[in-house]
Amino acid sequence: MRNSSVDKLRQPRSNANTLRPDPIRDPNSFRIRSPGVVSVFGSLGRMSTLLPFPDLNLMPDSQSSTAGTTAGDTVVTGKLEVKSEPIEEWQTPPSSTSDQSANTDLIAEFIRISELFRSAFKPLQVKGLDGVSVYGLDSGAIVAVPEEENRELIEPPPGFKDNRVSTVVVSPKFERPRELARIAILGHEQRKELRQVMKRTRMTYESLRIHLMAESMKNHVLGQGRRRRSDMAAAYIMRDRGLWLNYDKHIVGPVTGVEVGDIFFYRMELCVLGLHGQTQAGIDCLTAERSATGEPIATSIVVSGGYEDDEDTGDVLVYTGHGGQDHQHKQCDNQRLVGGNLGMERSMHYGIEVRVIRGIKYENSISSKVYVYDGLYKIVDWWFAVGKSGFGVFKFRLVRIEGQPMMGSAVMRFAQTLRNKPLMVRPTGYVSFDLSNKKENVPVFLYNDVDGDQEPRHYEYIAKAVFPPGIFGQGGISRTGCECKLSCTDDCLCARKNGGEFAYDDNGHLLKGKHVVFECGEFCTCGPSCKSRVTQKGLRNRLEVFRSKETGWGVRTLDLIEAGAFICEYAGVVVTRLQAEILSMNGDVMVYPGRFTDQWRNWGDLSQVYPDFVRPNYPSLPPLDFSMDVSRMRNVACYISHSKEPNVMVQFVLHDHNHLMFPRVMLFALENISPLAELSLDYGLADEVNGKLAICN
């Protein structure tokens, strides 16, 4: 939603700062005031590669060229100049001979201090690209506070190392950046590594948000305070710990680690990643007040349907400027060409692309809408017109840059049609509309448009793993359960089994990964709505087994799966290791749960936020020594492909028996998984084994 009060906050300070039509139309008048700060930035400086930001002073009609160039390769250069604040030179006042002798020391000391003051706040001149002198914005007057002097006592949340007070470094006061930057990362490995950095940051944000939400709900129930916005609290805590990405430069163009189609549930997460720096305003720009040249430059916009005059057809977008709305988001006044609106006009003038994030309503999500990054757009036109409410609005026509992946919003619309009317969008290729034969809560599609293989239909589908009857009633924990009514409380037996805390929040999301999670079972008196009953309720998201040339059979989701949400159980026939060795001689396919990598350790890890955070070691599991035979009986999880960078993790769970040697293998989402995205799991294969193997570890 664009901020309707932004116009009031950005009133021109004087007549000299008001918009003048002649300079906007006359390109030559911006030769000195253009925002061409040369800056290259990456949140990991060691991976960044210098890329000269285009000099916005270079106008097409300029005839100057750099020395040493040929007539055929004329390079236009410009000089960036930042006007310093005028400081009057000290003039010694006239005085008599006796007075001058008496005040010499005082005047000399005053002049010395004046020179120190001027030198401290004088713009720092650095050597730019191509020998052009560029005035930076870091004057050197502000010195970083030593780490030992910049510490503050932070109280960790309950359950963090006996609630001891933790000493955490708190970053200085956060300020929006004052420089434009374009990031250039060379090489597939560098892009891959930065993608992982972004994923870890998002995982930290989601883990912290879920934790804060659970604590807020608990305190609210106990009457110890009102509920607060966990998404905003998590973002501000990460900001204070210096965990935001791309926060010290205003990024132009793509943000490393963020891909087209990435989905976000909260606006604050866009700020954490540096994708869009405004929590409410729809236009994010380098403001005129922070720009060295006094011109705003827009870098990203959020289209969320807050303006009635928007026209969105996907690749072409007519975006309405901000301002002129009341608290009910109704247009009540004319818009003005200031702030973000002027930033959009300036971005079009200089040919700067903008990132477009669309906010769309989506069913069964944890918030009212989701935000999808749809890529880069060029502003090709703008005009002032009378809107539907009868007030003047600014309109900007944006066209999507070619060569980008399919828009995430278009993928979500396609997936929605695919769930409800699959034959309308894909008339051929379906082998079965329910591979589970109604054994799951929702149908599992089977799709193959590559060849005639129908192998998944030849196996018996089971929704849950089959255990030997002898293990029920055995194990290290007695056949007892909690005595709670309707739902469990914090001090019940099941909570104590999990180390004194619940494993899930009210939405059924895993709070933190553990060796094993104990859910309420058949011996508990709580009802089916208890929040400690999650995995036993079975599959909730619609999945599709599909044929791929790269991975053979794979699994993709038709729904949006939230990070930390339960997906399904990995089902097969449980056998002992000795039995597995015998069955393997006959060619039966075995899966060894003990070989799955412990990705669960990463989920809920808040050590970056709270240095004294200690992951609980209780409850623990002995080494797993069983296998699952999936050669005849299996479920949809057995077709998930192997990957060293998975989006799905394994969490062992016990609920229908208490035998610690035979937990159930449950799958949870490691990140927000977009519709039609393929699921991947780390089977613990050796590095030399490629990712084309499913059902094998």
Side-chain angles (χ1 to χ4, degrees), residues 307-367:
Y307 281 73
E308 60 187 4
D309 295 300
D310 287 350
E311 300 175 18
D312 191 357
T313 60
D315 290 336
V316 179
L317 168 65
V318 177
Y319 185 78
T320 306
H322 65 191
Q325 284 192 336
D326 56 20
H327 295 293
Q328 297 180 350
H329 312 302
K330 300 294 184 181
Q331 202 70 30
C332 62
D333 197 0
N334 297 326
Q335 295 181 351
R336 294 181 297 163
L337 194 60
V338 295
N341 296 338
L342 181 57
M344 294 285 285
E345 188 276 335
R346 291 288 86 194
S347 292
M348 187 198 73
H349 178 78
Y350 293 118
I352 296 177
E353 68 274 23
V354 297
R355 298 181 295 272
V356 172
I357 302 102
R358 284 182 169 88
I360 57 178
K361 294 182 179 180
Y362 197 80
E363 58 180 349
N364 298 325
S365 64
I366 59 178
S367 59

Side-chain angles (χ1 to χ4, degrees), residues 194-455:
L194 284 181
R195 177 69 174 173
Q196 290 305 308
V197 171
M198 188 275 297
K199 285 187 175 182
R200 287 194 296 269
T201 301
R202 295 191 66 182
M203 186 183 301
T204 300
Y205 174 80
E206 282 295 330
S207 300
L208 180 59
R209 182 191 64 81
I210 292 175
H211 170 78
L212 293 176
M213 182 174 62
E215 290 296 321
S216 178
M217 290 289 297
K218 178 180 177 180
N219 295 334
H220 180 69
V221 171
L222 297 177
Q224 299 178 358
R226 62 179 184 178
R227 296 174 58 181
R228 58 175 178 170
R229 289 277 301 273
S230 59
D231 58 314
M232 300 185 70
Y236 291 141
I237 291 176
M238 291 183 64
R239 185 190 68 183
D240 294 338
R241 305 303 190 271
L243 299 178
W244 282 23
L245 301 181
N246 308 313
Y247 64 90
D248 57 348
K249 296 292 187 300
H250 217 106
I251 305 299
V252 174
V255 174
T256 53
V258 180
E259 297 180 353
V260 175
D262 283 349
I263 294 179
F264 311 90
F265 285 97
Y266 299 99
R267 286 281 293 263
M268 291 304 301
E269 192 175 4
L270 305 178
C271 300
V272 172
L273 302 179
L275 190 63
H276 186 81
Q278 297 290 336
T279 59
Q280 291 185 344
I283 303 175
D284 187 19
C285 66
L286 180 68
T287 63
E289 292 80 6
R290 295 187 176 275
S291 172
T293 56
E295 285 187 309
I297 294 293
T299 55
S300 62
I301 62 173
V302 173
V303 187
S304 56
Y307 281 73
E308 60 187 4
D309 295 300
D310 287 350
E311 300 175 18
D312 191 357
T313 60
D315 290 336
V316 179
L317 168 65
V318 177
Y319 185 78
T320 306
H322 65 191
Q325 284 192 336
D326 56 20
H327 295 293
Q328 297 180 350
H329 312 302
K330 300 294 184 181
Q331 202 70 30
C332 62
D333 197 0
N334 297 326
Q335 295 181 351
R336 294 181 297 163
L337 194 60
V338 295
N341 296 338
L342 181 57
M344 294 285 285
E345 188 276 335
R346 291 288 86 194
S347 292
M348 187 198 73
H349 178 78
Y350 293 118
I352 296 177
E353 68 274 23
V354 297
R355 298 181 295 272
V356 172
I357 302 102
R358 284 182 169 88
I360 57 178
K361 294 182 179 180
Y362 197 80
E363 58 180 349
N364 298 325
S365 64
I366 59 178
S367 59
S368 59
K369 63 173 62 176
V370 296
Y371 299 92
V372 188
Y373 175 52
D374 277 344
L376 300 176
Y377 283 67
K378 280 280 190 180
I379 307 174
V380 298
D381 193 13
W382 73 278
W383 64 95
F384 186 81
V386 177
K388 295 180 180 180
S389 297
F391 296 97
V393 295
F394 287 97
K395 293 189 176 184
F396 303 89
R397 187 185 306 277
L398 295 89
V399 177
R400 194 168 189 260
I401 299 176
E402 297 181 355
Q404 301 181 84
M406 187 177 180
M407 293 184 302
S409 57
V411 172
M412 296 187 70
R413 289 193 296 269
F414 178 82
Q416 186 175 6
T417 306
L418 194 63
R419 293 191 301 267
N420 301 326
K421 302 177 181 179
L423 292 177
M424 177 181 295
V425 292
R426 291 195 309 201
T428 60
Y430 284 102
V431 180
S432 172
F433 285 107
D434 190 4
L435 182 63
S436 71
N437 294 319
K438 298 183 178 181
K439 294 180 180 179
E440 298 281 12
N441 299 325
V442 292
V444 178
F445 290 178
L446 178 60
Y447 183 79
N448 183 0
D449 61 348
V450 176
D451 51 38
D453 193 349
Q454 300 184 6
E455 177 188 3

